[in-house]
Amino acid sequence: MSGHRQFSDLKKGWSPARLARNEAHKTKLADELVSLEQLREGLGISQEELASVMEVQQPAISKLVRRPDMKVSTLRDLIAAMGGELHITATFSDRSVEIGNFTASAA
């Protein structure tokens, strides 16, 4: 991959303070991570209810919430079916930026 570098290479010049902030931020984010299945369960929505809203069969929901990768539009539809709204945010060491390409209105 010409022109691409490993993220670990980029961090080599970081100060100890910046590395510590990065590690603290990664730990905080890891504590906030939840799977789509855990989200569904936490919201008290059954797979059958979600299937009904999305107009698919229950086994499709079971597969969908366990997928490690999916289209943004599919994820947006799934989150909407659970009553939420999907926002995609790029987080950097000094700021976070919401990416507007993936909102429902931009689709």
Side-chain angles (χ1 to χ4, degrees):
M1 291 176 137
S2 170
H4 296 272
R5 297 188 322 193
Q6 295 288 325
F7 187 68
S8 57
D9 290 341
L10 295 174
K11 293 189 334 183
K12 285 181 182 173
W14 288 9
S15 70
R18 185 172 182 187
L19 288 169
R21 282 193 313 272
N22 180 258
E23 284 304 313
H25 188 67
K26 281 184 358 186
T27 301
K28 180 178 180 258
L29 288 176
D31 291 344
E32 296 174 359
L33 290 179
V34 49
S35 71
L36 290 171
E37 183 69 358
Q38 290 168 323
L39 176 60
R40 181 195 60 74
E41 290 173 351
L43 291 170
I45 302 169
S46 72
Q47 287 186 353
E48 292 80 9
E49 291 168 323
L50 196 52
S52 176
V53 171
M54 294 188 74
E55 299 178 347
V56 298
Q57 298 294 314
Q58 177 273 328
I61 296 299
S62 181
K63 288 179 184 176
L64 184 61
V65 296
R66 288 179 172 82
R67 288 185 65 178
D69 192 19
M70 68 179 72
K71 290 182 177 180
V72 172
S73 58
T74 302
L75 179 58
R76 183 179 50 245
D77 292 346
L78 178 62
I79 296 297
M82 288 191 270
E85 188 175 295
L86 180 66
H87 295 268
I88 297 182
T89 304
T91 304
F92 301 92
S93 60
D94 62 340
R95 66 180 173 269
S96 293
V97 180
E98 186 168 341
I99 308 299
N101 302 49
F102 304 111
T103 62
S105 60

